[in-house]
Amino acid sequence: MEFTAKRLAVAAVAAGVAVVAIGATVLAAAADPVAPEVVSVTPAEAGHENQGKYTAGDYVLNVHEPAEDGDGITTAIGPHTTYYSKSRHGTGVLEFSVGSDDDPPVVFSYPAPAAGQGVDCVASGTEAAPRVWCETKR
């Protein structure tokens, strides 16, 4: 295969388009700090309706749930542990942070479920690069 000026130009344009698309995706994600709500028609697990279910990965996962009074409750969940929240969710967002620092930065936010709904969140990745995924249960 011979590399001609035309093939190199086409490859350069394609690479430029890819870089612009990736950059736009990163900027769009950074502009909205709250993850979009993912809604499942699958009901919550039996005995855990209207509750939050949080599963930690290989690190301590801190979950801050809003409350009716506005303050909210933060719970630290140990590595490889599943925690069921029995508290009522207020309005606002669930905030997730990582580690055992006194005030770790928020790494993920998700809309708090409405009354009558539950939420299922799973953390993965590493403490340095955590990933949290949530789904609202009807």
Side-chain angles (χ1 to χ4, degrees):
M1 178 176 190
E2 197 174 310
F3 290 101
T4 64
K6 184 177 178 182
R7 284 187 181 160
L8 288 175
V10 170
V13 169
V17 169
V19 167
V20 169
I22 291 170
T25 302
V26 169
L27 288 175
D32 186 6
V34 179
E37 186 175 19
V38 177
V39 180
S40 172
V41 295
T42 307
E45 294 177 18
H48 297 287
E49 297 84 9
N50 305 327
Q51 292 185 11
K53 176 184 177 188
Y54 307 104
T55 304
D58 291 337
Y59 45 82
V60 173
L61 179 68
N62 303 295
V63 180
H64 180 81
E65 296 175 301
E68 302 290 332
D69 64 5
D71 289 338
I73 300 167
T74 300
T75 303
I77 305 166
H80 306 289
T81 302
T82 297
Y83 169 76
Y84 290 92
S85 169
K86 296 184 188 288
S87 63
R88 292 296 307 156
H89 301 300
T91 57
V93 296
L94 303 170
E95 295 179 334
F96 298 86
S97 57
V98 173
S100 54
D101 293 343
D102 287 340
D103 191 21
V106 173
V107 297
F108 182 76
S109 297
Y110 187 78
Q117 296 180 331
V119 65
D120 185 355
C121 299
V122 178
S124 62
T126 64
E127 186 170 345
R131 289 186 303 271
V132 181
W133 180 86
C134 293
E135 179 178 60
T136 300
K137 301 288 187 172
R138 298 216 183 257

